[in-house]
Amino acid sequence: MASIRQEIQVAASAEKIWDAVRDVGEIHHRLVPGFVTDCRLEGETRVVTFGNGMVVRELIVDCDDAARRLAWSASGGRLTHHNASLQVIAEDATHSRLVWIADLMPHEMAEPIAGMIAAGMQAMKQKLEA
């Protein structure tokens, strides 16, 4: 199993960032526009269309307001296993750190998924700092 961990600092309050992250059905507008072009909810699952055309079903596992942590599991495509989390950590009143962790199989998918995570984090930084 491959494990990916990426972090980025964002010049925005943790409260502002968490408000966008926890709005799981609106990430294409509020969190990662362009990186995600469409998102719709079907019960506890969100169907995400990425800018590259890939469509993934993501089961929302947990939305923890106290820890500011969202966890999900994805299915579809070439992945046989995928679970991930995004956590918002306050650094001070106007800066936060985002930590995205993903565990996946097969191991060969680690590089392309790591690239997608990096692109997603840059899209978040751009949107949240605007």
Side-chain angles (χ1 to χ4, degrees), residues 9-83:
Q9 186 183 58
V10 177
S13 72
E15 293 78 14
K16 173 185 174 181
I17 297 169
W18 179 243
D19 188 57
V21 170
R22 74 175 322 283
D23 194 359
V24 296
E26 291 296 318
I27 62 172
H28 58 310
H29 296 299
R30 299 194 60 205
L31 191 62
V32 287
F35 177 70
V36 171
T37 58
D38 190 45
C39 180
R40 70 179 189 279
L41 294 177
E42 294 178 356
E44 294 181 351
T45 299
R46 67 179 172 191
V47 181
V48 178
T49 303
F50 291 91
N52 64 8
M54 182 172 52
V55 178
V56 176
R57 296 181 62 80
E58 298 178 341
L59 174 65
I60 303 303
V61 175
D62 189 33
C63 185
D64 184 336
D65 288 320
R68 293 188 191 110
R69 180 179 177 272
L70 178 70
W72 67 95
S73 176
S75 62
R78 296 180 287 169
L79 294 173
T80 58
H81 173 83
H82 177 278
N83 64 279

